[in-house]
Amino acid sequence: MILIVDKRLSSKLIEPKSIEKIFKIDSHIGCATSGLVADARALVDRARVECQVNAFNYDEDLAVASLVKKLCDFKQSYTQYGGVRPFGTAMLIAGIDASGPHLYETDPSGAMMAYKAGGIGAGRNEVMEVFENKFKENMTQAQAVKLGLEALSAANENNLKSEVIGIAIINKEKEFHTLDSNKVKEAVKKIK
C-alpha cells in the first residue's frame, strides 16, 4: 500500500517539513489527510487508541475495516448535535491485515468507501482520472509509486516538486514507514 501527499504550500515562507499530512496509526495502518490538520490529528490519536485497546484486549492487530468503521461512527456522531461541529478532514486510510491490503476513503460526515486506488483534496478529479485509466491489479511497489506520482503530477499541471511530496509505504515485509527526501527525489525524477 502506498500513500502519497502534496503538501500544497500556501506561501513560499512555509517550511514543507512542518506540514503533516501522512500519519502512522499502527504498524500495519497509516493515513493521508486533507483539510484541517488539527482535526486529522485528533482522529489519528483516536485511531491509535482503538488499535492499542484491540491489541491489549485481544493480542492481535485491529482489522483495517473495523478501525475505519469505528472512526466513521465517531465522525458521524459529530454531525448529529448542536454545539459541536463535524471534523473538517477527509482521510485515506490504508493498511494490510489478515484479509489483505485495504484502502478506505472517509469524509467529514462519517461516510466511508473502499477503493483500489483513490485520492482526496484539491485535484481529486484529475488524480482519479489517471487512476481510472492506468490502474492495474497486482502492481509492484515501484509501479504504484510511479502511478501515484503521475496522478499527482496531473493534478499539479505537471509541476511536481519533491520537497513538498510525502510518500509512505505499508507492506508485509516492513511496517508503515515514510520515504526519506532522497528517495522521494529519485521517485519524482522518474516522472519528469
Side-chain angles (χ1 to χ4, degrees):
M1 298 299 301
I2 310 291
L3 293 169
I4 302 175
V5 297
D6 177 358
K7 297 177 184 179
R8 300 244 175 175
L9 302 179
S10 57
S11 166
K12 62 184 175 184
L13 300 175
I14 295 175
E15 285 286 342
K17 290 180 182 176
S18 70
I19 298 173
E20 289 180 293
K21 291 207 170 217
I22 293 180
F23 298 89
K24 177 181 179 178
I25 294 174
D26 201 358
S27 62
H28 68 295
I29 303 174
C31 74
T33 66
S34 175
L36 300 177
V37 177
D39 286 4
R41 279 197 315 266
L43 290 168
V44 166
D45 286 345
R46 183 169 182 93
R48 288 173 177 160
V49 169
E50 292 287 352
C51 288
Q52 291 169 356
V53 166
N54 192 79
F56 181 78
N57 287 336
Y58 303 108
D59 197 27
E60 64 183 22
D61 289 338
L62 182 58
V64 179
S66 296
L67 174 66
V68 174
K69 287 175 186 172
K70 287 173 186 271
L71 274 182
C72 286
D73 288 348
F74 181 68
K75 287 168 78 170
Q76 198 279 330
S77 71
Y78 273 70
T79 69
Q80 294 180 338
Y81 307 104
V84 296
R85 65 168 176 79
F87 290 94
T89 186
M91 302 172 84
L92 278 177
I93 301 173
I96 298 176
D97 59 25
S99 63
H102 304 279
L103 177 68
Y104 291 93
E105 178 184 325
T106 74
D107 68 17
S109 73
M112 64 181 261
M113 187 76 65
Y115 283 92
K116 294 176 183 175
I120 54 174
R124 181 185 191 280
N125 293 339
E126 293 85 356
V127 165
M128 293 304 285
E129 186 175 325
V130 171
F131 288 159
E132 290 282 343
N133 293 327
K134 295 186 176 183
F135 177 81
K136 295 181 179 104
E137 297 284 341
N138 301 317
M139 297 173 81
T140 66
Q141 180 176 301
Q143 291 170 326
V145 168
K146 184 175 185 284
L147 178 60
L149 288 172
E150 285 175 9
L152 204 51
S153 181
N156 285 306
E157 299 168 355
N158 298 316
N159 188 22
L160 280 187
K161 295 179 182 169
S162 62
E163 58 273 4
V164 296
I165 302 295
I167 302 174
I169 297 173
I170 310 160
N171 58 34
K172 288 183 179 177
E173 294 79 42
K174 190 174 178 183
E175 67 180 36
F176 176 98
H177 63 284
T178 55
L179 298 185
D180 65 39
S181 59
N182 292 330
K183 289 185 179 180
V184 172
K185 276 183 191 173
E186 288 174 28
V188 170
K189 279 182 188 175
K190 292 177 184 176
I191 302 304
K192 294 184 177 183

